Amino acid sequence: MKVLVAVKRVIDYNVKIRVKADNTGVETANVKMSMNPFDEIAVEEALRMKEKGLATEVIAFSAGPAQCQETIRTALAMGADRGILVQTDAELQPLAVAKLLKAVVDKEQPGLVIVGKQAIDDDSNQTGQMLAALLGWSQGTFANKLHVADGSAEVKREVDGGLENIKIKLPAVITTDLRLNEPRYASLPNIMKAKKKPIEVLAPDALSVDVAPRLKTLKVEEPPKRKAGIKVKTVAELVDKLRNEAGVI
Amino acid sequence: MAILVVAAHDGKTVRANVANAVAAATQMGSDVHVLVAGSNAGEAAKSAAALQGVAKVLQAEDAAYANWLAEDIAPLVVKLAPNYSHVVMAADSVGKNIAPRVAALLDVAQISEAIQVVSPDTFVRPIYAGNAMATVQSGDKVKVVTIRPTNFKAGAGGGSAAIEQIGGAAASGLSSFVGAELSKSERPELTSAKIVVSGGRGLASGENFKMLETLADKLGAGLGASRAAVDAGYVPNDYQVGQTGKVVAPDLYIAIGISGAIQHLAGMKDSKTIVAINKDEEAPIFQVADYGIVGDLFQIVPELTAAVEKK
Ligand SMILES: Cc1cc2nc3c(=O)[nH]c(=O)nc-3n(C[C@H](O)[C@H](O)[C@H](O)COP(=O)(O)OP(=O)(O)OC[C@H]3O[C@@H](n4cnc5c(N)ncnc54)[C@H](O)[C@@H]3O)c2cc1C
Ligand SMILES: Cc1cc2nc3c(=O)[nH]c(=O)nc-3n(C[C@H](O)[C@H](O)[C@H](O)COP(=O)(O)OP(=O)(O)OC[C@H]3O[C@@H](n4cnc5c(N)ncnc54)[C@H](O)[C@@H]3O)c2cc1C
């Protein structure tokens, strides 16, 4: 079966972001961009399935501006076979991304789609669940372990109280959690090879998907700043402050 | 139109954060209903009926609802949704799993982790690990919203709403529950604890976390951790505090051997008082700490444990 993975281009997790002065969003010009870390985990999981003979082909999908090609190239350098970019400069919200993914799924007929549980920019944690809903498929969210065999998958999920095991019918959508695997780095030869792998570029219109945002962003602001307090020298001083100044113990 | 809060529960009581979700819902409108779906959920429905601000509880009984599988719960919520202006869930692992599925089936956007209700269609939500706050407005007919429990103060109990039995829907057959491996603990639950003691990579081993357990027990505190401590296997995944773990806002948060990466701060910087214990005086955690103490945690933690009175 084919496995489709979503790879989103986001501001690198190490960057300290800045809110734009006009409060319309976050400064993205001249900022280091990377693949969403949860999507690296998604790519890795798909590649391991291929290496185990469980997947025949790994396709990397991204939606967004032309530069998302770089993100797809990263997935190809890790080992994905080919890429699909739905190119648009429009703001894409999770429902729109899920609809684009669905259109690509209809075309490609993968047996499994793996996406990140959350993109570290917009922190929505929605796209995978929405895609599963639109397809009428099962969903294995926040996956800590994935075991695929004969038309079904066992998924160990990270939940509030610990871990939970479910068995889901394939085809399915999986969303990755941090402990699913440790993604590999692309080797130099593989980076070279990736340059020759194909990336298909599509427009949202060609997939007959309306990507118009449903949520209007009225403003984006800085959060209130917490100011640094004091350093205490001794444990006795700390306990005194907690008891008599903060009143928390 | 009324607001529907979808409650997670354990069969006996609804989760504590349902009271927070109800509190948020009352800011969106006045007529708040709570859906309690489950198998033998009678007691849980009663606990929902006792929450302040609840006008009606809908109890849906079906074997398929026993384990909160999104594939089975979402269609039930979707069936009820046309009678409501909002569907509200707490942004915990249940809400995050189910709410987007509901939203997509309704063809509406979801507002994730709202921290403020500006008006019935406008919400504030954190983005970029809480380093920016977006105010978003929804034009959808039904607004599907998950709320961050720590930002909405739960009302007192004492309510006595009517409980109405509603029918279930057929099981989807798409997924089944196999079992759970839950962390057992007598300590207060992390997200509702008044005090949280949290450890990071600085603890250097799972064995050393015992030291924090002793401190936590003396303080009556919940126990948390950084991602690094979870990844290293010192503690289970449900201890993780942060952007991609749990969000806590206790009266007192004690960060021990945690550097203070933005992803960690995202989960605890709304705590009332923050204490940091770290040997590196440049560690970013000190920039948010009310009280910092620079030094070796292996010396400081036992001293602190001895100094605080048992609660
Ligand atoms: C004020 C503001 C302005 C914005 N402006 C723009 C803009 O102009 N252009 C723009 O593109 N975005 C813009 N965004 C970001 C955009 O709204 C979000 O990225 C989008 O809503 C998706 O949310 P998410 O990635 O957090 O979804 P999540 O549900 O958290 O994503 C989960 C997973 O879905 C997959 N996924 C999500 N999106 C994509 C994608 N595009 N390609 C491939 N896989 C994906 C990934 O696997 C990801 O790990 C803006 C956001 C804000 C707040
Ligand atoms: C996609 C993504 C999501 C993430 N989500 C989260 C999240 O939700 N939560 C989270 O916490 N992190 C998250 N992270 C990880 C985050 O970036 C940091 O790597 C992590 O928080 C570091 O954990 P730490 O502070 O325990 O370890 P380190 O950064 O290694 O810090 C250890 C600290 O211990 C101190 N120390 C060492 N020994 C001693 C001693 N004997 N006495 C006193 N102090 C000592 C050191 O000075 C140091 O400051 C995420 C990262 C990514 C990429």
Side-chain angles (χ1 to χ4, degrees):
Chain A
M1 75 175 155
K2 295 185 198 172
V3 177
L4 182 69
V5 292
V7 295
K8 185 179 181 189
R9 181 171 183 267
V10 299
I11 295 183
D12 187 84
Y13 81 99
N14 271 315
V15 170
K16 185 144 177 30
I17 61 114
R18 275 187 306 124
V19 171
K20 284 186 188 160
D22 64 1
N23 292 115
T24 55
V26 163
E27 197 53 75
T28 52
N30 303 315
V31 170
K32 181 176 178 212
M33 307 293 283
S34 302
M35 185 189 297
N36 182 36
F38 287 97
D39 298 349
E40 294 178 352
I41 298 172
V43 174
E44 177 65 34
E45 197 63 19
L47 295 177
R48 289 186 189 184
M49 283 180 62
K50 192 178 172 196
E51 285 158 3
K52 282 190 215 139
L54 293 165
T56 50
E57 190 183 28
V58 176
I59 309 165
F61 162 99
S62 194
Q67 296 92 315
C68 293
Q69 292 229 14
E70 295 161 20
T71 315
I72 294 179
R73 281 291 163 217
T74 306
L76 299 178
M78 286 173 75
D81 298 294
R82 61 187 166 95
I84 298 176
L85 169 63
V86 178
Q87 191 174 327
T88 171
D89 290 326
E91 175 189 344
L92 293 175
Q93 293 180 350
L95 184 61
V97 176
K99 287 179 178 176
L100 293 171
L101 272 164
K102 178 181 184 292
V104 169
V105 167
D106 289 343
K107 225 164 77 117
E108 296 284 347
Q109 300 286 317
L112 198 68
V113 181
I114 312 181
V115 311
K117 86 161 174 183
Q118 150 181 5
I120 59 163
D121 50 1
D122 207 39
D123 284 335
S124 295
N125 197 330
Q126 299 177 9
T127 306
Q129 297 89 314
M130 287 184 154
L131 174 63
L134 297 177
L135 290 164
W137 288 8
S138 55
Q139 64 188 52
T141 54
F142 325 145
N144 173 287
K145 215 174 243 149
L146 172 66
H147 180 75
V148 175
D150 324 318
S152 69
E154 281 165 43
V155 188
K156 194 184 284 290
R157 308 178 54 231
E158 297 201 1
V159 295
D160 296 327
L163 295 163
E164 175 183 292
N165 298 302
I166 57 170
K167 190 167 178 183
I168 59 177
K169 253 198 198 145
L170 295 184
V173 178
I174 303 294
T175 80
T176 61
D177 217 317
L178 294 168
R179 264 68 59 173
L180 183 60
N181 61 49
E182 263 184 61
R184 69 194 64 187
Y185 293 101
S187 67
L188 196 57
N190 285 344
I191 293 172
M192 300 312 290
K193 261 199 257 169
K195 296 195 169 136
K196 298 204 191 72
K197 292 182 180 173
I199 298 179
E200 184 183 358
V201 181
L202 301 166
D205 284 350
L207 296 167
S208 312
V209 174
D210 173 12
V211 296
R214 298 293 188 83
L215 295 179
K216 198 165 131 196
T217 302
L218 303 181
K219 60 181 174 193
V220 175
E221 296 166 299
E222 296 257 5
K225 278 248 156 31
R226 215 186 154 102
K227 53 179 184 359
I230 56 161
K231 291 224 173 77
V232 295
K233 287 266 178 300
T234 65
V235 168
E237 193 185 342
L238 175 64
V239 171
D240 174 63
K241 295 276 187 205
L242 291 178
R243 202 168 276 152
N244 302 317
E245 195 173 83
V248 287
I249 60 169
Chain B
M1 261 174 129
I3 319 274
L4 184 66
V5 173
V6 181
H9 61 88
D10 62 4
K12 291 185 206 72
T13 56
V14 293
R15 285 189 179 180
N17 61 26
V18 174
N20 306 100
V22 168
T26 56
Q27 297 178 25
M28 301 170 202
S30 54
D31 201 9
V32 177
H33 299 181
V34 178
L35 172 66
V36 178
S39 161
N40 292 321
E43 289 303 312
K46 277 185 209 158
S47 74
L51 294 174
Q52 189 180 20
V54 176
K56 185 157 85 178
V57 173
L58 307 176
Q59 185 188 344
E61 280 289 326
D62 198 305
Y65 302 149
N67 294 297
W68 282 86
L69 296 165
E71 294 84 343
D72 294 324
I73 301 282
L76 172 68
V77 180
V78 168
K79 205 173 73 182
L80 297 170
N83 301 320
Y84 294 94
S85 59
H86 298 72
V87 172
V88 180
M89 292 190 82
D92 59 14
S93 65
V94 173
K96 288 175 180 175
N97 189 37
I98 294 173
R101 192 162 178 116
V102 170
L105 291 172
L106 294 170
D107 192 29
V108 301
Q110 184 198 286
I111 296 100
S112 292
E113 297 223 39
I115 58 166
Q116 190 193 328
V117 180
V118 178
S119 71
D121 68 359
T122 305
F123 307 86
V124 179
R125 59 174 303 261
I127 54 176
Y128 291 94
N131 288 297
M133 298 292 155
T135 304
V136 296
Q137 185 175 39
S138 164
D140 287 321
K141 208 159 70 247
V142 183
K143 286 140 193 92
V144 177
V145 189
T146 64
I147 61 98
R148 180 172 284 187
T150 49
N151 288 83
F152 297 92
K153 196 171 168 353
S160 57
I163 301 176
E164 183 183 317
Q165 302 289 331
I166 60 167
S172 69
L174 287 173
S175 69
S176 57
F177 180 78
V178 179
E181 303 157 36
L182 302 181
S183 317
K184 287 206 181 57
S185 162
E186 302 293 307
R187 280 178 211 99
E189 202 270 319
L190 194 51
T191 56
S192 52
K194 291 240 177 318
I195 302 179
V196 171
V197 171
S198 219
R201 197 182 337 244
L203 267 291
S205 78
E207 188 61 27
N208 290 336
F209 253 83
K210 291 223 174 77
M211 210 164 69
L212 301 199
E213 290 175 9
T214 314
L215 175 60
D217 290 342
K218 270 208 155 181
L219 292 166
L223 207 52
S226 70
R227 174 190 172 180
V230 175
D231 282 4
Y234 302 169
V235 288
N237 61 281
D238 52 300
Y239 282 45
Q240 184 181 319
V241 171
Q243 178 188 16
T244 61
K246 286 181 181 164
V247 177
V248 302
D251 291 343
L252 174 60
Y253 187 90
I254 308 181
I256 302 170
I258 292 177
S259 61
I262 53 169
Q263 291 85 7
H264 187 79
L265 300 186
M268 44 66 77
K269 69 178 173 196
D270 288 338
S271 304
K272 209 169 113 205
T273 300
I274 297 174
V275 169
I277 302 172
N278 198 302
K279 67 177 181 191
D280 171 13
E281 65 177 327
E282 302 291 324
I285 190 76
F286 288 121
Q287 289 163 22
V288 299
D290 299 281
Y291 306 110
I293 180 157
V294 179
D296 182 3
L297 71 91
F298 294 101
Q299 213 174 327
I300 293 167
V301 173
E303 255 187 73
L304 181 60
T305 309
V308 293
E309 277 156 35
K310 186 156 176 70
K311 272 211 171 170

